[in-house]
Amino acid sequence: MAGGIAWQIATVTAITDETPTVRSFTLTVPDWPGHRAGQHIDLRLTAEDGYSVQRSYSIASAAAAGTIDITVERIDDGEVSPFLHDVVVVGDRLELRGPIGGYFVWEPALDGPLFLVAGGSGVVPLMAMVRERERARVETRTRLLFSSRHYEEIIYREELDRLAASNRGFEVIHALTRSRPDGWMGYDRRIDDRIIGEVLEPLGSRARVYICGPTALVETAANAMLRLGLPPDRVRTERFGPTGT
Amino acid sequence: MTDRFVTRGFVGRRTPPGAGDVSSRIPPGQYLTTDFPVLSAGPTPRTPLDRWSFTIKGLVEASRVWSWNEFTALPNREWVVDISCVTKWTKLDMRWRGISVDTMLEAIDLKPEAAFAIAYSDGGYTTNLPIADLLNDQAFVAYEYDGQPLAPEHGGPARLVVPARYFWKSAKWVRGLRIQATDEPGFWESLGYHNRGDQWLEERYSGD
């Protein structure tokens, strides 16, 4: 294991409901070295008899020593997310290692406007970027295009609204695909080429793009970016399928 | 072995629905899936078949380039293999059609110092493997999955498949092998992932 990424014991210090099916867990990790926005952890759960499972979760919080947040959607037929939602309480200890991943990452020193495209819980690593941008007090122009099914399912909605209202170069543009509240001003359909074109337009072709969500959304958005003239190496993707339990 | 940490209240699901007795086929830390998740770091490249070719170059007596038609006319066969992705899913009995790397290497002469292969792909992806890990039907280039042409998001028109390694070694959109005397980390191998990636030894990250 020398030089590897060691397993550590974290303590759950807060649990926050984000939506009816999405919950965030604040984990205190004594030897956490800090991380880059976009990286993930591996979580390992072990039963009394040694049966063990692992899952990867994106980190939702900005870089900080000693603590991270993860945000977990409850998948009803999953093995791990129902345990995290239904059993874990503040004070519990969980085994994890990280940070992991070195490509789908963003750092405040990077140039160029930022175009983030999220579908559902794919927003989590992008939220780490938004929070890191805020923590570092950089004013990199940033637009987050965020597709959710229903208004009530928009993860981090209040925080995103607050950051956008502070008018420091961050905007959030929502698309709601299933239902809309009365007077909805955002997009009312799935993300398509036209939406990508409209949201990209003010950022121009020097934008750095990060896309995270279900495969169909990622394919649509990434293909649209190329058609709109962005070089492939400016477009970074991360996907999850229906098995992201 | 160090003392095992036990997670309070965790029991686990054990036998996934419909799994039967397959637990011995699931590597440590992996879970069984029945669908085919997609993972890649960037946009899906699309190369028309009339501009596609497969090349073996580097430490060979003479480089070899196959067009799509030449390549798919090589002796091929069906492969039914279990696949494990470092993101934790394992999928059993995946059915491919493709060409063994052995078959391709029959058409060329490796130089004596040849020891490593760098698989390279459209879009700039690379992954490294010792040549020994590609021989004896351990690796093939697939162009069909489950009886259909391999879809672009799954690496089509053709991808390398190396079932004995985590799936990032099975380079999507593969266009050739560069033969070298020395090892050279590929895309994920340069970003903290394990150089070899044997899923039965749980070689996920550098240092595992």
Side-chain angles (χ1 to χ4, degrees):
Chain A
M1 292 291 290
I5 308 171
W7 291 99
Q8 303 187 52
I9 306 298
T11 303
V12 179
T13 48
I15 299 177
T16 310
D17 284 336
E18 305 286 358
T19 76
T21 57
V22 175
R23 192 168 276 186
S24 291
F25 299 83
T26 300
L27 305 170
T28 298
V29 197
D31 293 326
W32 188 254
H35 61 272
R36 290 182 286 163
Q39 289 188 296
H40 69 271
I41 59 156
D42 280 3
L43 189 70
R44 180 163 71 183
L45 307 181
T46 305
E48 291 280 354
D49 64 355
Y51 173 80
S52 174
V53 297
Q54 296 180 34
R55 294 291 186 278
S56 297
Y57 290 105
S58 290
I59 299 167
S61 45
T67 181
I68 55 170
D69 288 357
I70 60 171
T71 298
V72 179
E73 180 173 18
R74 189 184 194 287
I75 308 294
D76 287 340
D77 62 351
E79 182 175 23
V80 171
S81 65
F83 169 80
L84 294 174
H85 274 245
D86 303 345
V87 178
V88 169
V89 295
V90 169
D92 273 341
R93 298 188 307 154
L94 295 170
E95 192 176 27
L96 60 80
R97 64 173 178 161
I100 295 157
Y103 187 71
F104 195 82
V105 295
W106 179 81
E107 289 171 353
L110 290 174
D111 67 331
L114 198 51
F115 186 9
L116 311 176
V117 183
S121 59
V123 73
V124 176
L126 306 182
M127 191 62 181
M129 298 175 190
V130 171
R131 287 169 166 165
E132 178 67 5
R133 175 187 174 284
E134 187 70 9
R135 185 197 67 81
R137 304 217 137 264
V138 295
E139 304 207 347
T140 308
R141 182 162 188 195
T142 301
R143 307 193 100 191
L144 168 63
L145 173 61
F146 186 7
S147 176
S148 305
R149 292 182 303 182
H150 307 281
Y151 184 77
E152 301 73 27
E153 291 185 2
I154 299 175
I155 304 168
Y156 313 127
R157 189 183 70 234
E158 289 178 10
E159 183 177 349
L160 289 170
D161 286 348
R162 195 166 61 243
L163 290 170
S166 72
N167 203 17
R168 288 184 43 251
F170 173 72
E171 296 165 87
V172 58
I173 300 103
H174 290 289
L176 291 178
T177 60
R178 298 274 179 88
S179 72
R180 269 77 48 189
D182 290 342
W184 177 247
M185 301 289 282
Y187 288 108
D188 61 358
R189 62 185 195 273
R190 286 174 184 273
I191 289 173
D192 57 23
D193 281 30
R194 227 180 80 213
I195 294 178
I196 295 288
E198 288 169 6
V199 181
L200 174 65
E201 209 275 323
L203 299 176
S205 58
R206 298 202 58 255
R208 276 178 200 279
V209 179
Y210 295 83
I211 308 169
C212 185
T215 293
L217 176 145
V218 173
E219 284 290 315
T220 298
N223 292 337
M225 303 288 179
L226 300 192
R227 277 197 290 273
L228 290 163
L230 291 187
D233 62 3
R234 297 287 273 198
V235 180
R236 301 191 176 198
T237 64
E238 191 156 272
R239 305 154 198 247
F240 58 86
T243 57
T245 56
Chain B
M1 284 291 281
T2 50
D3 282 343
R4 187 166 63 218
F5 175 80
V6 174
T7 313
R8 183 195 68 81
F10 180 70
V11 179
R13 196 168 56 193
R14 314 299 166 113
T15 310
D21 185 22
V22 295
S23 51
S24 66
R25 290 166 65 185
I26 302 176
Q30 297 290 113
Y31 66 91
L32 196 61
T33 185
T34 51
D35 47 36
F36 190 171
V38 170
L39 286 121
S40 46
T44 298
R46 284 159 208 277
T47 300
L49 296 183
D50 60 7
R51 297 217 312 261
W52 188 94
S53 60
F54 191 89
T55 301
I56 298 183
K57 63 186 182 184
L59 288 177
V60 294
E61 296 300 338
S63 297
R64 182 71 199 250
V65 182
W66 290 272
S67 69
W68 177 258
N69 288 337
E70 291 165 344
F71 191 72
T72 52
L74 289 171
N76 57 73
R77 71 169 175 94
E78 184 177 90
W79 309 71
V80 179
V81 295
D82 300 345
I83 294 292
S84 288
C85 177
V86 73
T87 63
K88 316 287 173 356
W89 59 264
T90 291
K91 187 171 168 61
L92 304 180
D93 297 324
M94 298 186 79
R95 192 166 63 91
W96 312 81
R97 178 162 293 280
I99 298 148
S100 175
V101 171
D102 296 327
T103 303
M104 298 169 216
L105 292 181
E106 279 169 19
I108 59 161
D109 291 310
L110 295 175
K111 291 197 170 171
E113 61 270 37
F116 295 92
I118 311 299
Y120 61 93
S121 300
D122 283 326
Y125 185 79
T126 57
T127 190
N128 55 311
L129 291 138
I131 291 173
D133 288 0
L134 296 172
L135 302 179
N136 302 314
D137 279 343
Q138 293 182 94
F140 55 96
V141 173
Y143 54 88
E144 282 181 16
Y145 174 70
D146 212 14
Q148 300 295 324
L150 187 60
E153 64 269 29
H154 289 304
R159 82 181 293 169
L160 182 66
V161 181
V162 190
R165 299 289 177 260
Y166 285 121
F167 210 27
W168 86 75
K169 293 283 187 184
S170 293
K172 290 178 176 182
W173 312 301
V174 70
R175 292 293 302 276
L177 301 175
R178 191 170 71 243
I179 306 298
Q180 304 189 164
T182 54
D183 201 5
E184 178 188 326
F187 180 83
W188 287 120
E189 294 85 358
S190 303
L191 290 169
Y193 286 77
H194 197 276
N195 196 53
R196 182 168 60 182
D198 182 334
Q199 65 266 33
W200 290 100
L201 300 175
E202 217 180 341
E203 293 172 334
R204 297 180 190 278
Y205 311 118
S206 176
D208 278 354

